[in-house]
Amino acid sequence: VPAKDALETVVTFGDHHYPYFAGSGDAAWAALKRELAKLDSDRFVLISEESLPSTLLAAVSRNVAEVGPVVNLVFPGGEMAKNVANLSRLAAATLNAGATRRSCILAVGGGMVGNIAGLLAALLFRGIRLVQIPTTLLAQSDSVLSLKQAVNSEVGKNHLGTFYAPEFVWGNVDFLEQLPVVERQAAMCEVIKNVVAIRPGDHAEVTTLLSPTGEYTAAQYVRIIELAIEQKTAVMKDDALEEGVGLVLEYGHTVGHAIEATLKGKLTHGLAVGIGMTAAAEVASQMGVGDDSVAEMVLDLLERLGAPTTIPREADPGAVMERIRLDNKRGYLKPSPGSRDMILLAAPGRALWTGNKPLTSVPEEVIRAAIDARRSTNVTPLYDARAGQLHSRKAYLGSSLALQLES
Ligand SMILES: NC(=O)c1ccc[n+]([C@@H]2O[C@H](COP(=O)([O-])OP(=O)(O)OC[C@H]3O[C@@H](n4cnc5c(N)ncnc54)[C@H](O)[C@@H]3O)[C@@H](O)[C@H]2O)c1
């Protein structure tokens, strides 16, 4: 595949279609201004959060101002800030700034900003136009490739939300230069998940893209985004609401979320999902329903990325099991006592189905045995050995994980 540092495509999820522009340098900024001008908006309400690099925010604001009036709204960063109180404050500030039905919301930030600004756009006047300007690799390659918009409730993650599509997405890969390595690696774990669960044909190419140092060229980032679009579209073109075949996007998440929550912010979501995939492959193998090639592919890709592949010893297996009982896939299948529903693969790209859901009811003893099998035997946990690199973002994540992890 020839390297290119720009991408212009249309994302199709069911009846929803939206353009995605990814690129770098002056050409990317020119594309943003051209597309914003087409919207003929009376004002642009630029929503972002405090922990974004200020130079990034200033550059976006300056360029948007060349197209039309800009209102800048900045709210506190961190997962805990993705709540109803901030949604309400942002709504008031947007209205007080004179927003009308002709205005556009511009969501500038990671998946957190994208979600709260996306929900605000869906609710304001029952829906005003939204432009997604994702600034993390996870947001560029994953969260903007979804119609899901939500904030957290007092009880758990992403409980209050709806489905809403942007007018377009503009992903500037130059923004990723300032992104911590751990954030890049976490996003790559989700791409690995898409390869294993959806498109094993991408294995060879993704192998060449993975970088253990987290360094990627602009052209590589653009290709990563393009692959993620193709992978997610493969399952979401006919399942825009992610309730049927789209559930395979949750591969690795049952055990992954539980490890993430148990470690209270010491491991990012993406890395936890990576480990969760090794556990899901182990479950399938113990049940005699999964081919060894699944575990082989998961381990090969995670090791090439330099991501952890075993459950850190600090994650108490009993506590992980408790967390699994809160998993967000509850309710799709009729509950069966003593069992939990997981996405299992018979082979790479081939999920096992129960009725019309790619879910399998797994006895808790099997999950527990798989967790024990995947636990690190090292006294020094893998992620500690890589301190500074794999340690997570900010202290706030610790408190946010007191929330039930649901997505
Ligand atoms: N809608 C969906 O389907 C979907 C999918 C995946 C994730 N999500 C949501 O996305 C959120 C996670 O997204 P995220 O990982 O982008 O987290 P985030 O938005 O919290 O960003 C992570 C950190 O990176 C910083 N940051 C952002 N851009 C930066 C840049 N260019 N350089 C340096 N630092 C930068 C942020 O300030 C923040 O501190 C969660 O709320 C999750 O629920 C939603």
Side-chain angles (χ1 to χ4, degrees):
V1 178
K4 50 179 185 180
D5 59 10
L7 166 73
E8 206 176 309
T9 188
V10 175
V11 177
T12 296
F13 296 151
D15 297 335
H16 301 271
H17 309 274
Y18 53 91
Y20 194 130
F21 304 89
S24 73
D26 294 344
W29 289 106
L32 173 67
K33 288 182 271 194
R34 182 191 71 218
E35 295 305 314
L36 286 178
K38 284 186 198 165
L39 297 178
D40 194 17
S41 177
D42 62 2
R43 86 187 14 75
F44 296 107
V45 182
L46 197 157
I47 296 180
S48 63
E49 44 97 351
E50 278 167 357
S51 59
L52 276 190
S54 55
T55 47
L56 184 165
L57 199 53
V60 176
S61 186
R62 199 172 55 240
N63 277 277
V64 175
E66 289 177 29
V67 185
V70 187
V71 178
N72 287 290
L73 301 180
V74 180
F75 73 107
E79 187 61 31
M80 285 299 270
K82 202 176 93 172
N83 60 30
V84 180
N86 279 326
L87 178 73
S88 175
R89 282 186 200 111
L90 285 171
T94 303
L95 293 166
N96 286 334
T100 71
R101 289 183 167 81
R102 283 175 67 85
S103 307
C104 281
I105 302 255
L106 309 188
V108 184
M112 202 273 284
V113 170
N115 274 188
I116 196 167
L119 185 58
L120 176 66
L123 295 175
L124 215 58
F125 306 123
R126 300 189 187 80
I128 66 169
R129 292 170 298 173
L130 166 70
V131 172
Q132 289 282 8
I133 304 188
T135 64
T136 63
L137 185 57
L138 185 90
Q140 294 186 353
S141 64
D142 192 15
S143 66
V144 298
L145 299 174
S146 169
L147 304 176
K148 290 185 193 170
Q149 315 294 349
V151 296
N152 304 326
S153 73
E154 284 175 27
V155 177
K157 263 196 86 172
N158 295 331
H159 280 172
L160 303 166
T162 189
F163 297 94
Y164 202 62
E167 295 303 303
F168 67 89
V169 177
W170 180 71
N172 185 337
V173 298
D174 295 338
F175 293 162
L176 305 178
E177 274 165 31
Q178 296 182 64
L179 193 68
V181 166
V182 64
E183 300 286 347
R184 303 178 197 177
Q185 304 299 63
M188 291 309 290
C189 286
E190 297 278 0
V191 173
I192 289 175
K193 174 205 71 187
N194 296 343
V195 173
V196 177
I198 302 168
R199 288 221 319 187
D202 291 339
H203 182 201
E205 188 186 352
V206 170
T207 298
T208 64
L209 282 169
L210 294 173
S211 156
T213 57
E215 282 163 89
Y216 300 92
T217 63
Q220 285 175 321
Y221 277 131
V222 168
R223 181 62 185 151
I224 289 164
I225 293 168
E226 187 170 37
L227 281 168
I229 293 172
E230 290 168 2
Q231 293 161 340
K232 291 196 76 167
T233 304
V235 291
M236 288 177 60
K237 63 180 187 318
D238 299 321
D239 183 20
L241 307 189
E242 301 172 51
E243 59 191 5
V245 63
L247 284 170
V248 299
L249 292 164
E250 294 276 307
Y251 185 60
H253 282 58
T254 303
V255 177
H257 267 158
I259 297 169
E260 181 187 3
T262 307
L263 289 175
K264 296 192 167 41
K266 289 194 185 121
L267 204 62
T268 56
H269 172 79
L271 297 180
V273 167
I275 299 170
M277 289 191 277
T278 73
E282 177 68 25
V283 165
S285 146
Q286 293 206 8
M287 288 177 82
V289 295
D291 197 89
D292 290 347
S293 56
V294 176
E296 283 161 20
M297 193 181 281
V298 168
L299 289 173
D300 174 56
L301 291 169
L302 290 177
E303 279 164 10
R304 282 173 197 270
L305 183 65
T309 57
T310 53
I311 302 172
R313 283 197 78 75
E314 289 97 321
D316 172 66
V320 174
M321 285 307 298
E322 275 309 310
R323 283 287 176 173
I324 285 173
R325 297 192 180 101
L326 303 172
D327 188 64
N328 66 344
K329 286 176 288 303
R330 280 173 301 161
Y332 283 118
L333 300 182
K334 202 170 167 205
S336 114
S339 292
R340 301 290 140 194
D341 303 333
M342 290 180 71
I343 290 133
L344 298 183
L345 302 177
R350 269 192 34 227
L352 286 155
W353 288 65
T354 304
N356 60 358
K357 303 286 178 198
L359 291 169
T360 305
S361 176
V362 181
E364 285 185 9
E365 312 84 82
V366 177
I367 304 180
R368 174 62 200 248
I371 288 171
D372 289 340
R374 293 306 311 157
R375 260 190 113 201
S376 173
T377 48
N378 297 340
V379 180
T380 311
L382 270 174
Y383 69 87
D384 250 13
R386 312 162 69 82
Q389 191 189 343
L390 293 187
H391 265 281
S392 75
R393 40 185 81 157
K394 301 252 163 74
Y396 61 70
L397 245 183
S399 49
S400 77
L401 284 159
L403 295 168
Q404 247 179 282
L405 280 152
E406 306 232 348
S407 62

